[in-house]
Amino acid sequence: MPLMKSWVTSANSPTTPFPLNNLPYGVFSQGEGEAHCGVAIGDMVLDVTRLEEAGLVVQGPDPVFDIPFWNDFMELGAEAWSAFRSRLTDLLAEGGSDELSGNAELTKAVLIPLTDVELHLPFAVSEFTDFYAGRHHATNVGTMFRGAENALPPNWLHIPIGYNGRASSVVVSGSDVRRPWGQLKPPTADKPHFAPCKRFDYELEMGAIVGQPSDGPVSVADADQMIFGYVLLNDWSARDIQAWEYQPLGPFQAKATATTISPWIVTRAALEPFRVDTPTREVELLDHLKDAGPMLYDIDLEVTLTPQGGDTATRLTRTNYREMYYSSAQQLTHHASSGCPMNVGDLLGSGTISGPEKANRGSLLELSWGGKEPVTLDTGETRSFLEDGDTLSMTGHAQGDGYRIGFGEALGKILPALER
Ligand code: MN
């Protein structure tokens, strides 16, 4: 599918993240104004809360955009998702309906430059689960801790391993992240102490947003249809806290400080042209988890680090979402396989997305190989783990024929630990 042209001319650039083909969903506010639901188009945001008030988009007898979250809209289901997307396309397309483009006063009121707005969490996070479903990442980490022979745990090729995280920890891009305190026990010490984390790290992930509920097990094909869209996700990780606390129930405080997501929900509909298969299976999956079609996406991902006060961003990671071993649909199927009810607004972290080469590693733990091989930044400084004042930025896009489906940015700056 080629670029779809819009009368919002900035949306026709081959490098804008937000062409008419994308239409990602977010929440924004302007000055002291209240937060509204919006759709990114070129370098503008379309205020759909006002568009609904004006009667130009109608979802039924009751408004769904009067609350600044996309949850009420997600609840309406696939037919409504598709009808709304068609309606937006018609209103914004070159040669489409002139109900908006022909009304200068309304256009001025509902099309706002992105540079003038503040972005918020696009949906109310119901619950958050994080997985460990990238094979390169699991192999790298496992090799460091258990040796190459035992890198993957025995269950790894059979189930997407995960843990239940905290919805309350999820923050939108731009939120500062404070270095956590925690119990640390270096291997050489005979007892633990309580101190600021010394091995604070990022994890490059994608987040899948559940848009329809389940009550009982779901097939992989049905799980795919339950997913509303995707965001970039940074699963900030305190490696030293994790090393001491994780056995036998997995990460707890190590992952509870913050989880940063990008502000725009890129819909499954926008990503359709970019579907790719999961990698070849070394071990055949059990029937309930078997692939039911291509359910990963070809999305280029990048991470940069900018030290305090600097303007030089060093690229740390360049990888692709297609490197995952399990799709989000398979993760959702596994999640629901016990009968665990899944809710609208549930967020599923993919697991760190590393690729086969060193340049593809999606965390500093892997890049510095546990701190043994510090990374040299373009400024000449080195990093084994994140330092106070560092700003981490994740970006991503799918490359179409003359257009991009962009995600925006998941950015966070590290603040020093609290004084105690
Ligand atoms: Mn993670």
Side-chain angles (χ1 to χ4, degrees):
M1 183 193 288
L3 171 77
M4 296 159 69
K5 284 209 160 176
S6 172
W7 53 268
V8 181
T9 52
S10 60
N12 300 329
S13 151
T15 53
T16 178
F18 310 128
L20 184 55
N21 305 57
N22 194 348
L23 299 177
Y25 303 149
V27 169
F28 72 97
S29 61
Q30 202 181 1
E32 298 298 302
E34 60 180 30
H36 283 183
C37 293
V39 177
I41 178 80
D43 55 17
M44 312 292 272
V45 55
L46 177 67
D47 185 334
V48 293
T49 300
R50 282 201 180 172
L51 217 53
E52 184 179 59
E53 285 166 4
L56 256 69
V57 294
V58 181
Q59 304 300 317
D62 300 315
V64 294
F65 299 124
D66 55 337
I67 292 167
F69 286 123
W70 283 79
N71 300 56
D72 285 357
F73 175 75
M74 288 195 263
E75 266 175 32
L76 298 175
E79 260 179 58
W81 302 349
S82 159
F84 179 68
R85 187 173 165 81
S86 298
R87 175 66 175 157
L88 286 180
T89 304
D90 189 35
L91 286 172
L92 292 168
E94 199 176 81
S97 159
D98 65 356
E99 289 165 87
L100 178 57
S101 60
N103 185 336
E105 200 181 336
L106 184 63
T107 299
K108 195 167 185 299
V110 299
L111 266 184
I112 302 150
L114 276 168
T115 48
D116 289 357
V117 304
E118 184 183 349
L119 297 170
H120 307 280
L121 276 180
F123 64 105
V125 182
S126 179
E127 301 199 51
F128 168 51
T129 307
D130 192 41
F131 287 88
Y132 185 60
R135 185 166 186 174
H136 302 288
H137 173 70
T139 302
N140 286 337
V141 173
T143 302
M144 268 180 259
F145 292 116
R146 288 180 296 274
E149 296 299 298
N150 303 305
L152 289 182
N155 53 7
W156 203 93
L157 293 169
H158 302 277
I159 48 175
I161 303 175
Y163 63 92
N164 288 303
R166 291 286 301 176
S168 63
S169 76
V170 180
V171 297
V172 74
S173 176
S175 308
D176 291 336
V177 175
R178 194 170 284 285
R179 177 179 301 276
W181 282 66
Q183 247 193 51
L184 315 176
K185 196 188 97 50
T188 48
D190 56 2
K191 58 180 201 258
H193 64 286
F194 191 62
C197 167
K198 292 178 182 58
R199 292 159 72 95
F200 202 54
D201 200 358
Y202 70 95
E203 289 192 340
L204 169 61
E205 306 192 17
M206 299 283 299
I209 298 152
V210 177
Q212 284 286 283
S214 69
D215 182 17
V218 293
S219 70
V220 173
D222 287 348
D224 183 62
Q225 298 300 306
M226 284 167 63
I227 295 171
F228 181 69
Y230 293 82
V231 289
L232 306 172
L233 186 149
N234 184 350
D235 175 28
W236 301 98
S237 296
R239 305 297 182 194
D240 41 6
I241 297 174
Q242 187 175 354
W244 172 235
E245 74 176 1
Y246 88 106
Q247 288 175 322
L249 288 183
F252 187 54
Q253 291 304 289
K255 305 279 194 171
T257 301
T259 303
T260 300
I261 63 171
S262 54
W264 298 105
I265 304 172
V266 174
T267 61
R268 182 162 47 80
L271 291 169
E272 273 311 312
F274 306 99
R275 281 182 181 267
V276 291
D277 285 313
T278 45
T280 310
R281 302 297 167 187
E282 181 180 320
V283 176
E284 201 181 347
L285 292 170
L286 295 180
D287 282 345
H288 71 292
L289 285 178
K290 277 211 171 86
D291 290 286
M295 290 184 188
L296 290 178
Y297 299 93
D298 183 356
I299 300 168
D300 287 323
L301 300 164
E302 191 172 304
V303 180
T304 65
L305 187 157
T306 307
Q308 174 90 38
D311 48 15
T312 307
T314 300
R315 185 165 72 203
L316 294 179
T317 307
R318 191 173 189 178
T319 183
N320 192 292
Y321 180 55
R322 67 189 306 164
E323 298 290 352
M324 295 306 300
Y325 193 78
Y326 294 99
S327 65
S328 294
Q330 286 167 320
Q331 294 173 339
L332 180 48
T333 294
H334 177 53
H335 211 319
S337 62
S338 59
C340 175
M342 301 303 292
N343 294 313
V344 172
D346 280 349
L347 175 65
L348 308 184
S350 60
T352 307
I353 308 165
S354 294
E357 308 296 329
K358 184 168 182 183
N360 310 138
R361 294 177 186 168
S363 67
L364 271 169
L365 175 71
E366 296 165 85
L367 283 165
S368 73
W369 208 252
K372 290 197 186 85
E373 301 166 20
V375 175
T376 302
L377 306 181
D378 295 350
T379 57
E381 299 164 71
T382 59
R383 287 290 181 279
S384 292
F385 293 95
L386 297 169
E387 306 268 334
D388 293 345
D390 284 351
T391 296
L392 235 277
S393 161
M394 299 180 170
T395 51
H397 70 269
Q399 183 62 54
D401 175 14
Y403 70 96
R404 287 176 168 187
I405 300 294
F407 282 78
E409 186 177 32
L411 176 144
K413 181 177 177 178
I414 311 297
L415 300 184
L418 290 171
E419 300 282 343
R420 297 207 190 202

